[in-house]
Amino acid sequence: MSTEHAGPMKRPVLPEGELKITDPADYAAGPKAVFKALSYIQERTGTAKGLKVLSKLNQKNGVDCPGCAWPDPSKRSCLGEFCENGVKAVAEEAMTARADPAFFAAHSVDDLITKSDYWLGQQGRLTHPMILESGSRHYRPLPWEEVFTRLGGALQSLEDPNDAVFYTSGRTGNEAAFVYQLMVRMLGTNNLPDCSNMCHESSGAALSETLGIGKGSVTLEDLHEAEVILIMGQNPGTNHPRMLSALEKAKHNGASIVSINPLQEAGLLRFRNPQKAHGLIGSGTTLTDLYLQIRINEDVALLKAVMLRLLQKAETRPEILDQRFIHDKTSGFDAFQTELTRHNYDDLLARTGLDPDDVEKLVRLLAEKQRIVVCWAMGLTQHKNGVDNIREVVNLLLLKGSIGKPGAGTCPVRGHSNVQGDRTMGIHERPSRRLLDRIASRFGFTPPEEHGYSVVEAIEAMDADRVRIFFALGGNFVPAAPDTAFTERAMRKCELTAHVSTKLNRSHLVHGKTALILPCLGRTDRQPEQTVENSMGVVHPTRGVLHPPSEHLLSEVAIICRLARAALPESELDWAGMEGDYSLIRGHIEHTIAGFEHFSEKARSGFELYNGARVGVFHTTDEKAHFTVNQLAVHEPQYGAFLMMTIRSHDQFNTTIYGLNDRYRGIHGGRKVVFMNPKDMASLGLERESLVDLENHYPSGKRQVEGFQVVPYDIPAGCVATYYPETNPLVPLSEVAHTSLTPASKSIRVDVVPVGSGV
Ligand SMILES: Nc1nc2c(c(=O)[nH]1)N[C@H]1C(S)=C(S)[C@@H](COP(=O)(O)OP(=O)(O)OC[C@H]3O[C@@H](n4cnc5c(=O)[nH]c(N)nc54)[C@H](O)[C@@H]3O)O[C@H]1N2
Ligand SMILES: Nc1nc2c(c(=O)[nH]1)N[C@H]1C(S)=C(S)[C@@H](COP(=O)(O)OP(=O)(O)OC[C@H]3O[C@@H](n4cnc5c(=O)[nH]c(N)nc54)[C@H](O)[C@@H]3O)O[C@H]1N2
Ligand SMILES: [Mo]
């Protein structure tokens, strides 16, 4: 390995601002959210430009919000169909600041790497393709022609196509995703890791196995019609704020909402809908009826406890379970029941740390109601038993026959705005046989069958010197991935790293021997219309409206098509034509991707993809929905005394830091904080704002982050919470969910070490 290009790794150790702690909020949105959103866009973008894009945001034939993947209601609000955090996502992309060649001339990569993610993001949109030559410390502009010649040449010169890795983050539109996976497979590899690997992969794995489709089953209408909605491991007030409108509607229709979360998240408590008068001036709508403040990673224990009680009750009242559904539509019930009844109810309950009366309330609710929706996000997927969490959710729904009928089903709430669409388009390191066959017959070549690398496998391969080229279509791989120091070291072993990006980020600075930045148009910029798929399987168009920030930007489709021409000179596919006319790409999608028949005609109006589980048809090995037997969490206190979850603040989109506040949790001016139970603080002699280091001792070695401040918080004893990505250095690469390989970033053992304690 060459180390000549490895620059110094200085990092700011202390928090960036003066930390101020206030009481957490007990509601989300309201007039403050409107004020915050407007001032944010005004500061970053300017009012005229801001209003131009907001008037089109999430409207029919408008711009799909680059934030989360929550679906649009069929009747859009005349006040605008967006939320505070959607506005921030837009402002972050549409900001007026520019990271141009003069900026890169003034700042070496050694200088830039000392800056925080927040600072990097504030430098604005990238304007020119840039190269960092081997041995150089400054990026310099490189004309697009030369970018493609060099990158194409490097790809052609690989002895083995599997020496290249092609990452994707979930903002990429369907058309770009399709040509990307096609190019990668024509090159001869399935090395297509994507952000899903770190996100909802556990959901995909569990749902495909048990219900025959790796996506959620519900529509927005199902949510409105549900009798009971369980919200597990999700913080919609921050991460999917528009979901709160759907929950409000469900409440008005009589639904009971149960929140299962170690923290009392403001957005789950009460919602002041900024689009309604009662939300702006009144006290809003109480959302959660029953709040179960569970210990981290004890959801399997809770679900088992609840199901055990339901089985007991069903002995005298069989009708509380859907016996006919279980008999006709499922398999595996006997093994499931046998395993479940081996557990002791009190032991299960003790693990959760919950009040037995509250759990009994949940049992009664589930016993009496028939239409149940379970929503979840990263609080369930990012554990070593993440797949078990979701399979256990499915078990509960199957017992109640709450799948494949209105008002009931699975609702994994997806993260990035097109992460689901990217998968549908074939971005998958483990492609299905059916996809490969369709690619072969449409394009007349034999796509590779050997599975490619997921995110974690890619990092391991880089470390083992098996990756020469790392290419990323969006995202910020280095800080998003686990085990930061290890990942950085591994990334620096690559010969060439190339990022298609809108904004400067840390992954441009932790680079291969040679590095390229390929700046692209963003979702809000004027460019040919593309399509995206939301969290509920609705495919619809998106069209940017803003004047592009620089004349040197290309669309993602253009970048890939030009790269394909350079890297695959023998390819007879009309890459140039596709770059100029996306309907040619849609024509290929129509014949390659299941469910996209007549895509070209349907693309404009939008359409719902077929979903077997939604209609009670299970495309599994035996055409039945599967009950499964799942594992309780295993605790390893020898690696660290506390269990840590790494979560998002209200002022970030993943590694993009919008600001240093987390208003709903009462944090202002800093991100290097650790939320702790006051009893745990007392036992360690810690006070509010005490300075601590966090460390752990997994078998692979000691890991540490320094200079965090303690925040007393209502969190179960033994559990702590910190922000991602600041604590990713503590997540060992080895800690992944079985089957999905998703990093266990919500259950990492840590010790909290007072600074100056000499420990
Ligand atoms: N504004 C904004 N929107 C976003 C994002 C963003 O960063 N900012 N990110 C997008 C992406 S990619 C994603 S994947 C989603 C993420 O959306 P979320 O999954 O809501 O995000 P997290 O902050 O990771 O929150 C996880 C929640 O799970 C809880 N939790 C943690 N561990 C457990 C557990 O063991 N059991 C239970 N029951 N709960 C637990 C935490 O307390 C927290 O409330 O949001 C998307 N939308
Ligand atoms: N510890 C811990 N780690 C986690 C998580 C966690 O909860 N805890 N969450 C995980 C999850 S759920 C996810 S999804 C991943 C996220 O991982 P990524 O998706 O890799 O990261 P992002 O921060 O979303 O990527 C932001 C970058 O994307 C680029 N970008 C933005 N818009 C566009 C666009 O339109 N096109 C292109 N080409 N580039 C664009 C910008 O340059 C920006 O800097 O992180 C994971 N890592
Ligand atoms: Mo995600």
Side-chain angles (χ1 to χ4, degrees):
M1 174 208 163
S2 157
T3 50
E4 85 203 85
H5 55 287
M9 306 273 289
K10 277 183 252 120
R11 290 282 157 75
V13 172
L14 284 169
E16 298 209 2
E18 188 66 30
L19 180 69
K20 189 168 150 240
I21 305 172
T22 57
D23 288 338
D26 63 357
Y27 71 87
K32 199 161 186 177
V34 178
F35 172 74
K36 289 277 175 194
L38 293 179
S39 52
Y40 199 88
I41 199 143
Q42 199 241 333
E43 268 167 34
R44 304 280 193 292
T45 315
T47 311
K49 195 170 163 194
L51 291 180
K52 180 169 181 188
V53 59
L54 291 185
S55 68
K56 294 282 182 190
L57 202 58
N58 295 326
Q59 297 297 334
K60 286 203 168 112
N61 300 320
V63 192
D64 182 60
C65 178
C68 76
W70 190 256
D72 306 317
S74 43
K75 203 168 141 247
R76 322 275 158 119
S77 165
C78 58
L79 283 176
E81 197 52 63
F82 50 81
C83 68
E84 176 192 345
N85 279 350
V87 173
K88 290 183 195 161
V90 165
E92 196 67 24
E93 182 171 292
M95 64 167 46
T96 42
R98 301 283 176 263
D100 57 13
F103 167 84
F104 285 101
H107 295 277
S108 69
V109 282
D110 307 317
D111 170 22
L112 292 174
I113 203 158
T114 63
K115 310 290 190 193
S116 68
D117 294 320
Y118 175 53
W119 188 93
L120 294 176
Q122 293 318 300
Q123 305 317 305
R125 285 288 295 272
L126 297 160
T127 60
H128 288 67
M130 307 291 293
I131 185 163
L132 183 72
E133 301 276 13
S134 175
S136 168
R137 306 318 296 155
H138 284 265
Y139 273 99
R140 67 163 175 87
L142 185 72
W144 278 114
E145 285 284 284
E146 288 179 48
V147 168
F148 295 117
T149 308
R150 290 185 66 152
L151 200 47
L155 286 167
Q156 277 184 288
S157 72
L158 290 179
E159 276 165 33
D160 180 346
N162 294 315
D163 292 348
V165 165
F166 298 86
Y167 175 66
T168 319
S169 168
R171 249 183 216 179
T172 292
N174 288 335
E175 288 74 5
F178 183 81
V179 285
Y180 186 52
Q181 62 82 33
L182 185 61
M183 174 191 77
V184 170
R185 296 203 161 98
M186 283 185 167
L187 285 167
T189 180
N190 281 314
N191 281 342
L192 283 161
D194 77 325
C195 67
S196 281
N197 297 143
M198 301 183 265
C199 186
H200 265 295
E201 193 75 66
S202 303
S203 309
L207 294 173
S208 316
E209 176 198 342
T210 56
L211 301 176
I213 179 163
K215 304 179 182 181
S217 74
V218 300
T219 62
L220 257 189
E221 286 66 38
D222 290 325
L223 214 64
H224 297 157
E225 291 168 26
E227 290 174 298
V228 181
I229 301 173
L230 261 51
I231 304 173
M232 304 184 70
Q234 193 205 345
N235 179 19
T238 285
N239 298 313
H240 310 93
R242 289 191 306 129
M243 177 176 168
L244 302 187
S245 309
L247 295 177
E248 182 179 50
K249 190 155 183 186
K251 281 294 288 204
H252 287 165
N253 291 345
S256 299
I257 297 181
V258 182
S259 292
I260 302 172
N261 197 308
L263 304 181
Q264 296 242 0
E265 304 284 25
L268 293 170
L269 297 174
R270 202 148 46 87
F271 174 44
R272 293 181 60 188
N273 190 338
Q275 294 177 334
K276 302 255 170 76
H278 71 255
L280 284 177
I281 49 177
S283 60
T285 306
T286 300
L287 293 181
T288 296
D289 299 278
L290 177 62
Y291 215 112
L292 299 180
Q293 238 181 306
I294 193 167
R295 282 196 190 125
I296 294 175
N297 201 11
E298 291 301 353
D299 300 86
V300 170
L302 173 65
L303 289 165
K304 281 191 190 293
V306 166
M307 290 191 287
L308 200 54
R309 287 287 295 128
L310 288 174
L311 286 183
Q312 285 167 357
K313 277 178 177 275
E315 284 169 17
T316 50
R317 291 179 55 210
E319 72 281 3
I320 68 164
L321 304 182
D322 191 336
Q323 307 289 352
R324 168 164 287 244
F325 179 88
I326 296 172
H327 181 268
D328 292 351
K329 294 278 199 171
T330 73
S331 61
F333 178 75
D334 291 343
F336 159 77
Q337 185 178 32
T338 308
E339 197 273 344
L340 187 58
T341 46
R342 279 197 205 118
H343 289 276
N344 174 289
Y345 179 77
D346 294 332
D347 291 348
L348 290 171
L349 208 63
R351 293 180 63 125
T352 65
L354 295 170
D355 179 342
D357 291 342
D358 284 344
V359 177
E360 198 51 34
K361 279 186 202 150
L362 174 59
V363 171
R364 276 204 299 275
L365 195 60
L366 292 172
E368 301 314 323
K369 306 290 182 185
Q370 318 307 329
R371 297 196 307 274
I372 301 160
V373 171
V374 185
C375 304
W376 72 87
M378 298 303 100
L380 290 200
T381 63
Q382 297 176 334
H383 300 281
K384 279 169 87 172
N385 63 343
V387 178
D388 303 72
N389 273 333
I390 289 119
R391 288 198 305 214
E392 212 66 272
V393 165
V394 171
N395 283 341
L396 173 66
L397 293 172
L398 296 185
L399 278 182
K400 295 292 300 177
S402 249
I403 187 102
K405 68 181 188 191
T410 54
C411 184
V413 185
R414 305 296 306 243
H416 272 292
S417 53
N418 197 39
V419 61
Q420 188 158 311
D422 291 345
R423 267 292 161 84
T424 306
M425 289 298 117
I427 292 187
H428 203 314
E429 78 282 5
R430 294 181 256 181
S432 67
R433 180 71 268 159
R434 184 168 167 200
L435 174 70
L436 296 180
D437 288 347
R438 285 194 175 210
I439 290 177
S441 79
R442 176 78 187 170
F443 297 101
F445 73 102
T446 310
E449 288 188 21
E450 193 190 340
H451 286 174
Y453 302 135
S454 66
V455 163
V456 165
E457 291 166 322
I459 299 166
E460 286 165 347
M462 286 178 209
D463 177 60
D465 292 316
R466 282 188 277 119
V467 179
R468 291 178 57 204
I469 299 178
F470 176 87
F471 183 96
L473 187 57
N476 189 3
F477 187 91
V478 168
D483 223 339
T484 314
F486 188 95
T487 298
E488 290 187 349
R489 223 171 31 243
M491 186 60 80
R492 287 183 185 280
K493 290 186 175 189
C494 296
E495 293 286 322
L496 175 63
T497 50
H499 289 85
V500 180
S501 310
T502 50
K503 303 275 298 279
L504 177 65
N505 67 40
R506 192 161 298 282
S507 300
H508 305 132
L509 310 171
V510 180
H511 50 82
K513 206 178 283 179
T514 304
L516 290 164
I517 298 177
L518 289 61
C520 68
L521 294 165
R523 187 72 66 75
T524 55
D525 299 325
R526 204 176 302 135
Q527 58 171 316
E529 187 168 276
Q530 290 204 69
T531 57
V532 289
E533 175 183 340
N534 69 31
S535 201
M536 294 179 179
V538 175
V539 179
H540 62 96
T542 174
R543 178 192 283 267
V545 291
L546 296 180
H547 188 70
S550 148
E551 59 184 359
H552 303 285
L553 304 188
L554 293 178
S555 69
E556 292 182 322
V557 169
I559 292 175
I560 295 151
C561 289
R562 292 188 194 184
L563 177 58
R565 285 163 67 194
L568 297 160
E570 272 106 68
S571 166
E572 285 170 10
L573 206 59
D574 186 9
W575 296 100
M578 291 193 288
E579 177 188 333
D581 180 1
Y582 293 7
S583 72
L584 296 179
I585 305 176
R586 286 193 276 272
H588 287 306
I589 294 174
E590 207 167 296
H591 291 95
T592 316
I593 305 294
F596 280 76
E597 297 73 24
H598 311 295
F599 183 29
S600 307
E601 293 139 54
K602 294 193 292 185
R604 289 268 17 222
S605 52
F607 62 100
E608 190 179 303
L609 286 170
Y610 168 76
N611 184 313
R614 184 170 292 166
V615 291
V617 178
F618 304 109
H619 300 289
T620 55
T621 41
D622 58 1
E623 301 290 313
K624 305 257 186 195
H626 292 191
F627 277 98
T628 51
V629 170
N630 298 299
Q631 306 303 313
L632 288 161
V634 176
H635 295 295
E636 293 141 335
Q638 69 275 24
Y639 303 152
F642 294 91
L643 201 53
M644 174 183 75
M645 54 182 183
T646 58
I647 56 177
R648 291 159 169 78
S649 83
H650 194 62
D651 264 359
Q652 73 183 89
F653 192 94
N654 299 338
T655 65
T656 300
I657 310 301
Y658 299 141
L660 300 176
N661 303 332
D662 190 4
R663 187 168 90 243
Y664 294 156
R665 300 198 186 102
I667 302 298
H668 312 270
R671 292 181 46 88
K672 292 186 70 180
V673 293
V674 49
F675 297 93
M676 285 189 86
N677 183 298
K679 285 191 193 131
D680 289 332
M681 288 170 55
S683 73
L684 292 179
L686 293 169
E687 288 170 9
R688 180 189 169 105
E689 295 175 37
S690 288
L691 210 55
V692 294
D693 295 340
L694 303 173
E695 60 183 50
N696 56 27
H697 304 267
Y698 282 84
S700 48
K702 177 178 167 180
R703 291 176 177 75
Q704 187 186 37
V705 292
E706 296 174 344
F708 280 60
Q709 283 179 282
V710 174
V711 176
Y713 209 77
D714 182 8
I715 181 171
C719 300
V720 296
T722 55
Y723 296 129
Y724 133 72
E726 283 77 357
T727 44
N728 285 42
L730 294 170
V731 182
L733 209 61
S734 57
E735 297 300 289
V736 294
H738 72 73
T739 315
S740 67
L741 306 185
T742 299
S745 8
K746 294 284 189 281
S747 48
I748 292 300
R749 306 298 315 185
V750 288
D751 285 322
V752 178
V753 184
V755 169
S757 70
V759 180

